[in-house]
Amino acid sequence: MSDLSSLYTGLIIEHDRRPHRAGLREPYAAQVHHVNPTCGDEITLRLDVDRPDDDGTVRDVSYDAIGCAMSRASASMLADQLTGLSVAQAVDVVDSFEMSMASRGKDPGNEELLGDAVALLGASKFPARVKCVLLPWKAFRAALLEAQASGGRA
């Protein structure tokens, strides 16, 4: 199997075809829209938290993702992995994922921490795909900052 074909593992294809937690839901504390200018992938992401401080809980991550399979699967995996965590735990997961994606394939990632999202780390060897995969994760981080700035009220 070539590196490129191994990039699209069954898990990524499954999340792309049957995305988890897709669709924009209410209530939400923050909504952001991000676009990857290099390929046109887009995501609108809503975040609902009970409190936006570190001890708060991520109650829901909902999204509408348009773009490539990697970007859509990444949004599905992110929503699965972060919903129900404390804000501090969610930030730890996002930090870990972003560090692994920046490793260019050298960091295999912590499967226990990243869950299904560890399947996306093969994309770190392909710079053109890194932005696609990171789009939902950057959107989550921006939504959290927006929620914190507003005190958790949209």
Side-chain angles (χ1 to χ4, degrees):
M1 185 182 298
S2 73
D3 278 352
L4 190 56
S5 62
S6 67
L7 180 62
Y8 294 94
T9 65
L11 193 55
I12 292 169
I13 292 168
E14 182 63 25
H15 274 273
D16 176 45
R17 290 185 181 158
R18 293 174 203 48
H20 302 180
R21 302 178 181 274
L24 297 172
R25 290 180 293 278
E26 294 188 14
Y28 59 93
Q31 175 176 302
V32 298
H33 180 79
H34 283 211
V35 176
N36 179 348
T38 59
C39 66
D41 289 350
E42 295 183 34
I43 187 167
T44 301
L45 183 139
R46 288 181 177 172
L47 172 64
D48 185 29
V49 292
D50 65 347
R51 293 186 332 268
D53 60 36
D54 284 352
D55 294 330
T57 301
V58 176
R59 289 192 289 217
D60 191 27
V61 177
S62 64
Y63 61 91
D64 181 26
I66 301 168
C68 68
M70 295 296 289
S71 182
R72 292 189 312 262
S74 183
S76 174
M77 293 174 182
L78 172 140
D80 270 356
Q81 197 61 25
L82 301 186
T83 301
L85 296 180
S86 72
V87 168
Q89 290 170 321
V91 169
D92 285 347
V93 171
V94 173
D95 288 346
S96 177
F97 186 76
E98 288 177 349
M99 284 180 29
S100 294
M101 283 300 294
S103 77
R104 297 195 179 258
K106 294 179 183 154
D107 179 355
N110 179 338
E111 188 171 354
E112 188 173 315
L113 186 65
L114 301 177
D116 286 354
V118 79
L120 296 164
L121 296 179
S124 69
K125 297 177 193 169
F126 304 95
R129 292 292 183 209
V130 169
K131 287 185 177 180
C132 299
V133 171
L134 286 177
L135 186 67
W137 300 80
K138 299 292 186 189
F140 175 85
R141 196 179 286 279
L144 180 58
L145 288 173
E146 189 174 302
Q148 290 169 329
S150 71
R153 292 174 297 279

